[in-house]
Amino acid sequence: MRRFTTFVLIAAVSLFSACGTLRSLNTGTQVDEDNTIVLPGDAREANNSDGTTIWDAFGPQYNEQKVQVNRYIWAASLDVLNFLPVQSVDPFTGVILTGYGTPPGGNQSYRATVHVRDPALEARSLSLALQTRNGRSVSPETLRAVEDAILSRARQMRIADKKL
């Protein structure tokens, strides 16, 4: 039994070390500026239809995150909700978290979570959640009014930049 275990262990180590050797034998690979591997000729199409192989799982990972946030909606959200204290902002994911605050002339405290999901200046790019101090969501009319205010302010900012 001990010989069998030793044999399986040696076979596994040999197999995994051979995987690295086969990967390094391809000397014609190049890396683009966007960190994609370019094979010479039409070798990419010969390997797989989308250019990936099983060996790509063991290679270096190129995980660059691109920022996909509309700057006008981002700035307009902070401008319209300026009465709320900002707790957390993450421009890479497009999330703004605020604490509780009372709007001017109001008597109810609110808290907001804003998610800017898309670089386009469109209503679908903005996701907003408002909640009262007791944890309840606000009425759909109030939520819609705040969303409209943010989108209107974003359009005003874009027009002011003369990029429309």
Side-chain angles (χ1 to χ4, degrees):
M1 183 67 179
R2 187 171 184 176
R3 282 186 170 172
F4 180 72
T5 306
T6 306
F7 175 74
V8 170
L9 183 63
I10 291 173
V13 169
S14 299
L15 179 67
F16 287 124
S17 66
C19 290
T21 306
L22 290 176
R23 175 96 170 137
S24 65
L25 287 178
N26 189 359
T27 58
T29 59
Q30 295 177 348
V31 177
D32 264 351
E33 60 273 352
D34 62 344
N35 291 327
T36 57
I37 297 176
V38 177
L39 298 174
D42 289 337
R44 178 179 287 252
E45 287 79 18
N47 283 342
N48 199 345
S49 62
D50 65 350
T52 59
T53 65
I54 187 71
W55 307 113
D56 292 337
F58 301 109
Q61 300 296 318
Y62 300 106
N63 294 329
E64 291 184 13
Q65 187 175 15
K66 307 242 185 216
V67 177
Q68 298 290 322
V69 174
N70 184 292
R71 71 181 190 143
Y72 299 110
I73 295 177
W74 180 267
S77 299
L78 292 172
D79 191 30
V80 169
L81 300 173
N82 65 356
F83 63 92
L84 299 174
V86 176
Q87 286 184 340
S88 172
V89 270
D90 188 3
F92 296 106
T93 59
V95 176
I96 302 170
L97 298 172
T98 67
Y100 288 102
T102 306
N107 57 359
Q108 180 73 32
S109 291
Y110 298 100
R111 176 171 105 171
T113 302
V114 180
H115 184 202
V116 183
R117 297 182 298 211
D118 199 282
L121 182 56
E122 298 174 350
R124 66 179 174 84
S125 301
L126 175 65
S127 179
L128 176 69
L130 287 174
Q131 127 183 101
T132 60
R133 173 101 38 202
N134 58 7
R136 294 188 183 145
S137 296
V138 298
S139 68
E141 295 83 22
T142 304
L143 188 64
R144 180 67 182 241
V146 175
E147 285 177 347
D148 289 343
I150 291 172
L151 292 171
S152 295
R153 181 67 184 134
R155 287 184 196 101
Q156 291 171 357
M157 291 175 154
R158 182 164 180 196
I159 290 169
D161 270 353
K162 298 185 187 344
K163 292 185 178 182
L164 183 59

